[in-house]
Amino acid sequence: MPVSEFGRIGRDAELRYTQSGDPVCSIPVAVDYGRKGQDGKKPTQWYEVTLWGKQAEGLAEYLTKGKQVFFTGTDLHIETFDKSDGTQGMKLVCRCSEIKFASDGQGQASQPQRQQTQQQRQQPQRSQQAAPPDDFDSDIPFSPLQYLAGA
């Protein structure tokens, strides 16, 4: 049964390897649902989202506490566990088929560091290419089409 949800990561991901050498990491994701209660808060459902293979290796360092993510998971099921107070708890567990970053937990859009560096290198080049000619008429509110082709 597939599930798609938007939520916040509850703790940093830790990359592990199975005995056969397959990479795996799990993250708890808190998803708000329903209406606000008397306390002004919405109820929260926790998902244990598991990433495998290259997806786990490539994303583990970016899956940190507080980041907002949108994930799609398959093989959704309920697992029971023993809580610290001795009672039994339940959690929803799924295998992640897709995950997208929405923010870094501080309200900023999240991008891996490599993408930011590439964009910073490309920005100065664009501004140099888009410079209008010296004889450009300032009364015209738009750039001639021949200069837009390279922008």
Side-chain angles (χ1 to χ4, degrees):
M1 173 181 196
V3 62
S4 293
E5 292 286 354
F6 179 80
R8 283 199 187 273
I9 297 175
R11 69 172 150 69
D12 293 353
E14 291 183 32
L15 184 61
R16 306 179 310 277
Y17 293 88
T18 63
Q19 289 180 347
S20 61
D22 296 325
V24 61
C25 73
S26 296
I27 52 168
V29 179
V31 175
D32 293 336
Y33 68 95
R35 295 182 177 212
K36 292 181 181 178
Q38 296 290 349
D39 59 358
K41 296 180 181 179
K42 287 185 172 186
T44 302
Q45 174 64 59
W46 285 91
Y47 288 83
E48 187 73 23
V49 181
T50 306
L51 293 88
W52 289 86
K54 290 181 181 180
Q55 186 183 42
E57 284 182 316
L59 295 176
E61 66 181 297
Y62 302 106
L63 298 171
T64 56
K65 182 178 179 175
K67 286 195 178 178
Q68 290 182 324
V69 293
F70 176 81
F71 69 92
T72 301
T74 58
D75 189 28
L76 180 67
H77 59 278
I78 298 172
E79 288 185 3
T80 58
F81 63 96
D82 293 325
K83 294 182 179 180
S84 58
D85 63 1
T87 62
Q88 201 170 44
M90 290 188 273
K91 62 182 175 180
L92 290 172
V93 179
C94 68
R95 180 180 181 140
C96 184
S97 59
E98 180 182 13
I99 191 163
K100 296 180 180 180
F101 293 95
S103 88
D104 64 2
Q106 326 261 310
Q108 301 284 327
S110 177
Q111 293 180 331
Q113 189 65 31
R114 288 178 282 211
Q115 286 182 356
Q116 288 176 349
T117 305
Q118 288 174 352
Q119 288 174 351
Q120 289 168 354
R121 276 188 248 134
Q122 291 173 357
Q123 286 175 351
Q125 293 171 355
R126 285 190 200 137
S127 62
Q128 292 170 359
Q129 292 174 354
D134 295 334
D135 62 347
F136 186 68
D137 188 355
S138 62
D139 291 337
I140 300 175
F142 55 89
S143 178
L145 292 177
Q146 64 211 31
Y147 293 100
L148 290 177

